[in-house]
Amino acid sequence: MIRNQRFWVAVAAFVFLSAVAASIILYFSRSESTVRIIQDGKVVTAFELEGHPDEELVFEYEGRKNIVEIKDGRLRMRSADCPDKLCERSGWCGKGSLPLICLPNRLVIEFTASDTDAVAR
Amino acid sequence: MRLRPLIMLAAASLLVSCGSSDAQKQRVLYSMDTYMTFTAYGENADKGLSAAADVISELDGKWSAENENSEINVVNIHPGQAVKVSTDTASLTAFAKDMYIITDGALDISLQSVVKEWGFTSLEHHIPDDARLASLLKNTGADRIEIKDDSVTIPEGMTIGLGSVAKGAAGDIAAEELKRQGVESAILDLGGNIRTVGVKPDGSEWKVGIRDPFGDGIFGVLLVGETNIVTSGGYERYFELDGKRYWHILDPETGRPAESGIVSATAVGAEGRYCDALSTSMFVMGKDKAIEFWRSRRDFDLILVTDSREVLISEPLKESFFLQDGCDWSVTVIE
């Protein structure tokens, strides 16, 4: 009987501790990414901009390319195969709430203000 | 028997950890010349989002300035004729006409030809000369639009565009559709217009930031239940020439970018189309007129930022608006 009881205490403790661990992981994994890139309605990548290694990301939509450059904790649309080039003109963007949008190529780079649910602009 | 509390605790902890990953569903739409992010919670979230997305694409087909066959463009190519449109379009056009009258001309959907002349639709920007503007302004004035039995008639020479009210109205209709599908908690971002449904799934209020008109981030946050938050600023669509910035919000009186001293105007209230119309109107009106307007109506709330970094908020918002940490602008409560 005692052994049986110990077994169940151990099971309960295990379940409790794994739930606590899962909660902690879920909680922190939510606020990790400050930038997400969405193309054609799908999140293609999300990352923390601060401390991100310098890199060039290439996104293709219907054969047209967008090149996003990440450097020194900022990013910009380095080039875009689209008629208006509006996104290129936005220049370098830091962390904040400003989205960088290339509508013709359905590309959106969002800075998610991690402590708000949305930003009116 | 002593085991029962332990097992219950373990079971409860499992529930809590599942709860924190709440059934959040999200959908991104490219519509109305912008992109929209809809987030809904609960078991009906998927169904609700699909229905809301369908509604938005249907409205885009009616109101789009870019789609030649949209109802609005059919009205535009048949001036002087009563054009039969859907009830949604007739109702929004009538609403915009009323807003022209109520705001003393600050909101004018008949300014489309002037907006085009500046190149804000084609993105081939240029500064029109005075004579050209004067001649275009002869054909504006939304009070001259006639709406009768779902038919819209515009006078010869006029072109209308619903850009200043469409996203707000779309938010109202999408929110209604979400509720019809059983969604009790959702937040819709329609190109920066924010519409909430209910409160957050945990029962707390939504925290909505407001874009800093001078920089990248936000200057303040608003805690809200079910409402609309619509902000207009000169930073969204603009071009620069010889060091001067020209934005897309035009003063209907001059046909030039509105320079009223207001750099960001936010309207908060129950009706999205009203807030959408008012954020634009207040940006055009300037501080004094906007305050006078609010005092005469009090059926919405406002947050204005002036070019000297003064923030003005209407009295009901004083408990729910907070400046962002590190923002030292002065805040004045309007009563």
Side-chain angles (χ1 to χ4, degrees), chain B residues 20-88:
Chain B
S20 71
S21 67
D22 216 307
Q24 184 205 54
K25 302 283 171 171
Q26 202 163 59
R27 189 166 292 213
V28 179
L29 312 168
Y30 299 84
S31 196
M32 302 196 169
D33 201 20
T34 186
Y35 84 106
M36 308 182 177
T37 310
F38 289 5
T39 310
Y41 298 85
E43 51 175 356
N44 296 317
D46 262 332
K47 191 171 68 150
L49 288 175
S50 295
D54 289 347
V55 160
I56 293 291
S57 99
E58 194 190 323
L59 293 176
D60 189 38
K62 292 173 180 170
W63 300 341
S64 168
E66 301 192 336
N67 174 358
E68 280 178 22
N69 302 316
S70 71
E71 293 185 351
I72 252 2
N73 281 337
V74 175
V75 170
N76 282 333
I77 55 178
H78 296 99
Q81 294 175 44
V83 176
K84 182 92 178 143
V85 293
S86 62
T87 307
D88 283 333

Side-chain angles (χ1 to χ4, degrees), chain A residues 30 36 98 110 117-118 120, chain B residues 20 26 30 35 207 209 211:
Chain A
R30 276 189 168 185
R36 50 177 210 167
L98 184 81
E110 274 191 329
D117 298 304
Chain B
S20 71
Q26 202 163 59
Y30 299 84
Y35 84 106
K207 192 172 177 186
R211 167 84 145 85

Side-chain angles (χ1 to χ4, degrees), chain B residues 108-173:
Chain B
D108 191 351
I109 60 162
S110 73
L111 222 54
Q112 194 66 11
S113 57
V114 188
V115 174
K116 263 189 200 155
E117 184 65 30
W118 281 90
F120 287 114
T121 47
S122 61
L123 299 171
E124 284 157 14
H125 299 121
H126 84 115
I127 302 168
D129 61 45
D130 291 349
R132 179 77 184 134
L133 282 179
S135 99
L136 289 172
L137 287 175
K138 277 185 194 144
N139 292 313
T140 63
D143 53 338
R144 293 158 60 214
I145 305 170
E146 282 173 40
I147 302 109
K148 205 182 162 196
D149 302 333
D150 288 352
S151 287
V152 177
T153 314
I154 56 168
E156 289 290 343
M158 183 185 279
T159 313
I160 59 175
L162 295 175
S164 54
V165 286
K167 284 185 287 168
D172 290 332
I173 296 169

